[in-house]
Amino acid sequence: MLAMALPASMAIYSCKPGKISSNLDADAAQKVYIAPGKYDEVYAFMSGGFSGQIAAYGIPSGRLLKVIPVFSQNPENGYGYSEETKPMLNTSHGFVPWDDSHHPELSKTNGEDDGRWLFINGNNTPRIARVNLATFKTDEIIELPNIGGNHASPFCTENTEYVVGNTRFSEPLDNDNGDVPIDSYKKTFKGAVSFVKVDKETGAMNLAFQLIVPPFNYDLAHAGKGISHDWVFFTCYNTEQAHTLLEVNASQRDKDFVMAINWKKAEELINQGKGTKIPAKYAHNVYSEKTHTATSTIEDGTQILDITKFPGLVYFMPCPKSPHGVDVTPDGENIVASGKLAAVIPVFSFKKMLDAIDKKDYDGMVDGSIPVLKYESVLKGEVKKPGLGPLHTEFDGQGYAYTTMFVSSEVVKWKIDNLEVVDRSPAYYSPGHLVIPGGDSKKPFGKYLVVMNKITKDRYLPTGPELCQSAQLFDITGNKMKLLLDFPTIGEPHYAQAIPAEKILKNQVKFFKLEENTSSFATKAEKDAKVVRNGKKVDIYMTAIRSHLAPDNIEGIKVGDEVNIHVTNLEQDWDVPHGFAIKGANNAELLVMPGETCSLKWSPDRTGIFPFYCTDFCSALHQEMQGYFRVSSADSNTPIKFSIGVNPVTQ
Ligand code: K7E
Ligand code: CUA
């Protein structure tokens, strides 16, 4: 959540609790009503914030469709608990089963959302994840070295050539001696911008290079498009370079910066061999749909470019008052940066920026060599009196921009060509990000706007000390925004992406083909189910199909064994997962998709009979889908024995 130091007079909400939603559309109920059995028009993917996950919603209904586990263990389906998925959460710090995810970003082709992948940042232990939207599974996570707080991340260039990220907390580079006095900040701390290359066909990521930048706090980013294709823009605050009480010390300067990076130029320099290779350790985790298994590799080394050594790579544009969001209009010409403490919204012109660069229209240098362009020279204009606390802006493709006002709790619609405010609507309460389908792309779909609020107050039935975070859906087809719906969200959503459903629907994987399952622990037919002891290690090759687990009677396991149960779901049909859980296992369940193999590690600590069962109500005889382990003492002679269907009850 954003916390800000504000003069007392500003620290008020314009919308008092209990205020009636006067902007409510008279036909709101009809507009959000999706008849039973009908699909929503749009998918919205909202970050889970401190939940570390992504939630997929149907819009306009606001129905929660799925929580996609990304950075946090998810006992609901065993993500991060199964042997196959644990490597996804590996980092250079070891297993990190949680993160703080803020900015989902859809992959783009020609500047348009293509519905293939969804990237998202891990803010705490810097990582970028890639979710496959054909399976709604996290396929890849790459750690980013040399940074602290991967907040300004991940944002795609126009054809997803790169996803970029920048550091929120500057710090010494990993390989420098980091054991330095904190007050040596200005000398020893650095920022680093990561460029992660994305393979066009597979989506596979790799850390191509990093730019070493001044030790500011980098907050958000968006890449250019169209005429600004070659550029990416970051906001920075704390250009004061404070390292304590930032609330006060990072709000000293009247203007901070938007940092413009010519990524094409950076790429050229790297291709010309101008990069410097430095040691850096980071995890790169990849999940395979064929083996149904993730592998984690610790990579070593990255290439850097020190921006002070390469003129023309980076420029700073002054931006009022601790800017937060930076958003680029669909045509790529205007760059909108929102200063959290500013009373105006500055809109920069890309053409003017190029012009100012040509004319060397500078207003000083950062670090003696990186030009600061003159504010007046790069400014298209300011949106006047937009409200208080502008944070984020999206576009409808009809010539309008929509900006959230955190402090005055409203969404403001303004016209891009003349920068005039044309409508405003209260938001309940304190909106952070907002999303319009395609709203940060070259071709917004428009129609809906979802604003994600930080404070719920009185909008829902209370739920103890913590109230749920809240999203609000607006109809933006008319001149006036119309409020349609409130709906609660998981965690704290920051950014979201929304996309017409058809772009996702057509790629859906319904089940995994059993014949393509190359897991070394797969059991492709029930007759091949078996139990294998190897010293203290026991591997159980189990199958699941409606409505039994095979084998279902297993004996000969001993206290102190390491038991790995590999369950293959033999179903070849949509929507028939089987679950697997064991009494007392210090672990979550498995939820095994059709055609998939998942493994649960279990170390029984006492003798006895341990039931296991399928947790997903899969058929009329689901309650019969169960079995027993017999666990004997460590020194017993109980032989390994497994069966299904022998010793009938009539015996
Ligand atoms: Cu919440 Cu994008 Cu992390 Cu703004 S950020 S609100
Ligand atoms: Cu399988 Cu219940």
Side-chain angles (χ1 to χ4, degrees):
M1 184 176 297
L2 269 162
M4 300 186 301
L6 293 167
S9 62
M10 277 173 82
I12 46 150
Y13 302 98
S14 71
C15 311
K16 294 284 184 307
K19 180 171 171 164
I20 290 161
S21 310
S22 57
N23 56 336
L24 187 67
D25 187 282
D27 296 324
Q30 262 195 359
K31 287 184 178 164
V32 302
Y33 180 71
I34 301 295
K38 294 276 187 268
Y39 287 168
D40 278 289
E41 188 178 5
V42 164
Y43 281 99
F45 298 102
M46 295 190 189
S47 60
F50 45 68
S51 89
Q53 319 291 48
I54 295 172
Y57 295 85
I59 299 294
S61 71
R63 296 182 293 195
L64 174 63
L65 305 173
K66 187 180 172 69
V67 173
I68 307 169
V70 183
F71 294 113
S72 298
Q73 283 178 301
N74 196 40
E76 178 182 337
N77 62 4
Y79 177 85
Y81 291 95
S82 73
E83 292 311 297
E84 284 81 359
T85 55
K86 277 180 188 167
M88 290 304 280
L89 303 179
N90 192 38
T91 72
S92 65
H93 304 270
F95 185 70
V96 178
W98 169 88
D99 215 302
D100 178 21
S101 62
H102 286 219
H103 304 122
E105 172 86 344
L106 286 161
S107 53
K108 293 187 167 54
T109 304
N110 298 322
E112 283 182 58
D113 297 330
D114 59 25
R116 299 207 287 168
W117 308 301
L118 186 66
F119 301 91
I120 190 162
N121 62 328
N123 189 32
N124 179 53
T125 304
R127 290 175 275 181
I128 292 176
R130 180 174 55 85
V131 172
N132 180 350
L133 289 176
T135 57
F136 282 54
K137 281 183 187 252
T138 302
D139 268 5
E140 193 174 6
I141 294 181
I142 191 166
E143 188 181 359
L144 301 176
N146 294 321
I147 69 169
N150 176 38
H151 190 265
S153 171
F155 293 91
C156 289
T157 55
E158 195 166 351
N159 287 294
T160 320
E161 294 95 339
Y162 293 95
V163 291
V164 298
N166 202 344
T167 192
R168 172 169 163 203
F169 313 107
S170 287
E171 56 176 44
L173 299 186
D174 291 353
N175 203 54
D176 293 353
N177 174 20
D179 180 10
V180 294
I182 296 169
D183 66 9
S184 69
Y185 184 102
K186 288 187 187 183
K187 261 194 265 154
T188 55
F189 288 42
K190 299 266 181 282
V193 192
S194 305
F195 285 81
V196 173
K197 186 101 190 116
V198 179
D199 185 272
K200 261 195 167 48
E201 301 307 316
T202 64
M205 301 188 284
N206 75 78
L207 179 58
F209 58 92
Q210 292 184 310
L211 302 188
I212 304 305
V213 294
F216 303 151
N217 288 41
Y218 297 89
D219 210 14
L220 277 153
H222 263 104
K225 45 198 175 234
I227 51 168
S228 53
H229 170 86
D230 295 357
W231 295 77
V232 50
F233 305 94
F234 290 91
T235 45
C236 12
Y237 63 103
N238 191 24
T239 53
E240 295 86 351
Q241 305 183 34
H243 54 80
T244 181
L245 197 63
L246 266 64
E247 179 182 16
V248 174
N249 294 332
S251 305
Q252 297 302 309
R253 297 182 55 163
D254 205 41
K255 292 200 174 63
D256 292 284
F257 296 125
V258 167
M259 179 172 69
I261 297 177
N262 187 331
W263 66 262
K264 269 289 200 191
K265 186 151 191 157
E267 186 181 56
E268 269 167 39
L269 290 166
I270 290 292
N271 290 342
Q272 291 163 9
K274 301 274 169 64
T276 309
K277 186 125 194 201
I278 60 163
K281 285 215 183 316
Y282 59 97
H284 186 185
N285 312 329
V286 180
Y287 180 82
S288 155
E289 248 168 54
K290 296 290 180 266
T291 60
H292 303 287
T293 303
T295 48
S296 178
T297 312
I298 298 292
E299 310 268 4
D300 205 353
T302 182
Q303 290 203 83
I304 57 164
L305 287 173
D306 177 348
I307 62 163
T308 58
K309 306 217 164 84
F310 299 99
L313 200 53
V314 174
Y315 296 90
F316 287 105
M317 300 195 277
C319 185
K321 296 277 171 204
S322 304
H324 186 55
V326 55
D327 301 280
V328 181
T329 49
D331 61 4
E333 159 60 12
N334 301 298
I335 301 124
V336 182
S338 302
K340 304 187 285 273
L341 307 178
V344 297
I345 305 171
V347 180
F348 300 99
S349 155
F350 179 72
K351 286 185 195 137
K352 284 180 135 185
M353 184 191 97
L354 290 187
D355 226 42
I357 291 172
D358 265 1
K359 294 193 181 124
K360 297 198 168 21
D361 230 343
Y362 299 160
D363 186 5
M365 297 276 177
V366 170
D367 282 354
S369 64
I370 311 147
V372 178
L373 302 170
K374 270 207 188 95
Y375 183 63
E376 294 72 23
S377 307
V378 291
L379 193 71
K380 168 189 163 72
E382 291 169 341
V383 181
K384 305 280 189 207
K385 300 213 169 127
L388 293 176
L391 289 188
H392 296 286
T393 301
E394 290 257 301
F395 309 96
D396 65 2
Q398 310 291 321
Y400 295 96
Y402 301 73
T403 303
T404 46
M405 298 291 157
F406 180 81
V407 177
S408 55
S409 243
E410 56 191 335
V411 182
V412 171
K413 175 180 177 180
W414 50 275
K415 202 152 187 278
I416 297 167
D417 61 6
N418 62 13
L419 308 181
E420 264 166 31
V421 172
V422 295
D423 188 27
R424 55 178 71 238
S425 174
Y428 305 94
Y429 300 92
S430 306
H433 278 272
L434 75 176
V435 63
I436 290 172
D440 70 340
S441 76
K442 235 172 161 174
K443 276 217 187 110
F445 173 80
K447 194 162 176 180
Y448 300 110
L449 181 156
V450 182
V451 55
M452 288 148 282
N453 300 298
K454 301 298 186 191
I455 294 167
T456 307
K457 290 197 208 176
D458 52 2
R459 298 300 284 185
Y460 303 103
L461 287 173
T463 50
E466 191 200 7
L467 300 176
C468 61
Q469 264 74 14
S470 175
Q472 288 187 299
L473 175 72
F474 290 86
D475 175 350
I476 55 164
T477 53
N479 292 332
K480 298 265 165 211
M481 291 174 271
K482 292 283 187 189
L483 179 62
L484 298 178
L485 183 71
D486 281 14
F487 61 98
T489 60
I490 63 150
E492 179 191 357
H494 292 260
Y495 197 26
Q497 295 268 272
I499 181 170
E502 71 219 18
K503 290 199 188 183
I504 304 277
L505 281 175
K506 60 175 201 275
N507 299 328
Q508 285 298 289
V509 168
K510 297 186 170 157
F511 56 86
F512 299 104
K513 290 198 182 111
L514 203 52
E515 73 259 26
E516 291 176 3
N517 179 336
T518 53
S519 160
S520 34
F521 300 107
T523 311
K524 298 203 184 177
E526 200 169 300
K527 66 173 173 33
D528 299 328
K530 63 186 172 190
V531 178
V532 180
R533 174 181 285 284
N534 202 331
K536 279 186 161 308
K537 215 165 162 271
V538 180
D539 285 291
I540 299 178
Y541 297 79
M542 187 179 280
T543 60
I545 196 162
R546 281 162 291 180
S547 295
H548 54 274
L549 292 152
D552 67 359
N553 280 207
I554 299 166
E555 301 192 356
I557 291 176
K558 296 177 194 172
V559 171
D561 282 347
E562 180 195 304
V563 185
N564 279 281
I565 305 103
H566 314 286
V567 183
T568 301
N569 180 345
L570 298 177
E571 309 277 357
Q572 291 287 273
D573 212 347
W574 201 8
D575 196 25
V576 200
H578 291 292
F580 181 78
I582 310 167
K583 176 186 173 183
N586 300 123
N587 208 330
E589 66 155 350
L590 300 173
L591 195 64
V592 192
M593 297 305 123
E596 193 181 49
T597 302
C598 295
S599 305
L600 192 80
K601 190 184 273 186
W602 174 48
S603 307
D605 69 343
R606 63 193 75 170
T607 59
I609 298 295
F610 292 79
F612 60 86
Y613 72 106
C614 167
T615 53
D616 187 320
F617 209 110
C618 50
S619 76
L621 295 172
H622 152 81
Q623 286 295 83
E624 283 70 15
M625 200 163 174
Q626 64 163 61
Y628 291 105
F629 290 111
R630 173 186 171 191
V631 177
S632 304
S633 64
D635 57 0
S636 80
N637 302 318
T638 318
I640 288 282
K641 198 169 136 196
F642 56 92
S643 60
I644 180 168
V646 297
N647 307 323
V649 283
T650 51
Q651 187 177 293

